[in-house]
Amino acid sequence: MTTRRNFIKKTGLGLMGTYFGSSMLTACTQNSLKKEGPFANIGLQIYSLRDLLVQDPKLTLETVARIGYSHIETFGLQTSENSFWGLKVPELKKIMADINLNTHSGHYDLSKYLSRHHTDKENIEKYIETAVELGQKYVVAPVTPMDDLNNLKPEDYQYAAEQLNKAGEVAKKAGVKMAYHNHFWEFRDFANGTKGLDILVAFTEPDLVSFELDIYWIEKAGLSAQSYFQKYPGRFTMWHVKDMDKNYAEPIVGEKFDKLPFDSIQKQVRFTEVGTGQIDYVNIAQNAKQSGLEYAFVEQDDIYLPNKFESIKSSYDYVQRFLSK
């Protein structure tokens, strides 16, 4: 069993006094409090630290708050246990309240719910109930059905849009809203040039369904985030802010990639800390108002630094220095 002390040594938290000096952390927090907006009050998609959450969720959340993040986006609800990462929902709420860490959005597994080929759908009502209990505003579908990504058809996206609208009706009655988070395959072309994300946006009702644009994945698909903000103003109320390793900048959408196995495509993917990679966030951030941005989250699907907290602090510091106004 991993003890708390071993966890601290393994993750580098034992160096907090030297690397993350208390004065530095205080300065970060105070700096963000002097400003307003989604970048000054940046959140973290806590999936970035999933391995650490398994070992010590309380200490992980405390460290995220100390670095300066004001909110997290949750993932991984265990419906049978009403828990995240071994913490019952009421326990998670108390921990977050004690460290002044909020949550406005959560990722909830809706892959079967969005699939026209599954009859055993996920429990939308339970997700909405949990979101309300946590004080979240958005219930986000994080991914399309994953059964056969290379053969998704327009009718699959149309069905998913209909399902999102239905869930949106239920969510609206509870005071929350549905949303959808993209990856790269939603930007593959169909015969008429339409893309999956275009279908989802066009066939969902703006008052029922919002979108969380993953900036990395749209850029990795060879498109610009700005083009979608201009095309669908006000629909992208949330962003995932993560950066692309400059040595892995080739787009992975197009004839060369669209029929490859998923594992082969993943070999062309590598992430890095925000501000150190390929994506021009300073320019993209100028379009926040047009997109309808309310909440932004740092996310790094895979962190390669030995100390993962060092990684998320690097991204936090860049956001505060260059994107926060």
Side-chain angles (χ1 to χ4, degrees):
M1 177 179 292
T2 301
T3 66
R4 185 179 178 92
R5 178 174 293 180
N6 287 338
F7 170 79
I8 290 173
K9 290 176 66 179
K10 182 176 180 180
T11 60
L13 280 176
L15 301 177
M16 285 288 286
T18 55
Y19 185 79
F20 295 156
S22 59
S23 61
M24 180 187 296
L25 290 170
T26 301
C28 286
T29 305
Q30 290 175 347
N31 183 50
S32 64
L33 290 174
K34 292 178 182 177
K35 303 176 183 179
E36 296 181 354
F39 300 119
N41 297 289
I42 191 75
L44 177 71
Q45 170 43 271
I46 202 68
Y47 178 80
S48 306
L49 302 178
R50 56 196 176 278
D51 297 337
L52 305 186
L53 285 169
V54 171
Q55 298 176 66
D56 195 326
K58 183 174 184 290
L59 184 57
T60 300
L61 293 171
E62 289 171 348
T63 308
V64 167
R66 286 195 64 194
I67 288 171
Y69 288 94
S70 65
H71 57 101
I72 62 166
E73 186 170 52
T74 60
F75 79 98
L77 173 68
Q78 296 295 315
T79 55
S80 60
E81 302 174 0
N82 192 38
S83 69
F84 292 90
W85 329 301
L87 298 173
K88 298 288 187 181
V89 171
E91 185 181 3
L92 174 60
K93 281 184 62 179
K94 183 180 187 308
I95 290 171
M96 293 181 64
D98 288 345
I99 59 178
N100 196 30
L101 192 64
N102 296 310
T103 179
H104 306 297
S105 173
H107 279 197
Y108 297 89
D109 184 10
L110 292 164
S111 55
K112 292 180 180 178
Y113 182 82
L114 298 181
S115 171
R116 61 193 180 104
H117 302 297
H118 284 88
T119 57
D120 55 332
K121 308 295 190 183
E122 291 91 358
N123 190 335
I124 287 291
E125 288 76 11
K126 176 59 178 176
Y127 293 162
I128 293 171
E129 175 187 319
T130 301
V132 170
E133 185 175 359
L134 287 172
Q136 293 174 336
K137 181 177 178 179
Y138 289 103
V139 172
V140 182
V143 70
T144 54
M146 297 286 288
D147 303 326
D148 193 2
L149 292 175
N150 289 352
N151 287 300
L152 287 172
K153 299 177 174 59
E155 48 265 39
D156 292 306
Y157 287 104
Q158 290 168 355
Y159 177 85
E162 292 170 3
Q163 290 292 92
L164 287 169
N165 281 332
K166 290 177 182 178
E169 292 279 8
V170 179
K172 186 176 181 179
K173 294 176 182 177
V176 295
K177 193 172 184 179
M178 294 302 302
Y180 179 87
H181 164 275
N182 65 277
H183 288 79
F184 65 88
W185 51 84
E186 293 93 342
F187 300 104
R188 289 171 169 169
D189 282 332
F190 291 116
N192 60 357
T194 300
K195 305 177 193 306
L197 192 64
D198 293 296
I199 295 171
L200 289 173
V201 176
F203 282 83
T204 51
E205 297 296 330
D207 64 324
L208 300 178
V209 181
S210 286
F211 289 85
E212 180 176 66
L213 192 70
D214 191 301
I215 307 292
Y216 176 95
W217 288 121
I218 189 171
E219 297 278 333
K220 189 64 175 168
L223 301 171
S224 72
Q226 296 95 316
S227 67
Y228 268 72
F229 302 149
Q230 294 165 6
K231 197 173 185 180
Y232 305 109
R235 294 302 302 272
F236 295 97
T237 57
M238 293 174 285
W239 296 1
H240 272 188
V241 177
K242 60 189 179 193
D243 217 336
M244 184 188 307
D245 189 307
K246 293 178 181 178
N247 295 315
Y248 291 78
E250 181 184 6
I252 53 174
V253 168
E255 186 176 352
K256 178 180 175 181
F257 291 99
D258 289 352
K259 294 301 179 182
L260 285 180
F262 185 75
D263 289 347
S264 296
I265 296 175
Q266 283 294 98
K267 294 176 182 178
Q268 309 298 319
V269 171
R270 189 175 173 92
F271 311 96
T272 190
E273 287 66 41
V274 179
T276 67
Q278 180 74 16
I279 300 177
D280 183 0
Y281 273 106
V282 172
N283 187 28
I284 293 172
Q286 306 306 310
N287 298 268
K289 184 175 181 181
Q290 185 178 41
S291 86
L293 184 64
E294 296 175 13
Y295 304 114
F297 308 89
V298 164
E299 183 187 34
Q300 191 166 330
D301 295 22
D302 291 302
I303 294 174
Y304 314 107
L305 295 178
N307 187 328
K308 295 188 177 183
F309 293 117
E310 179 182 348
S311 171
I312 66 165
K313 186 178 186 299
S314 173
S315 292
Y316 174 85
D317 288 345
Y318 178 85
V319 171
Q320 295 308 309
R321 183 176 179 184
F322 293 104
L323 306 185
S324 176
K325 294 182 178 180

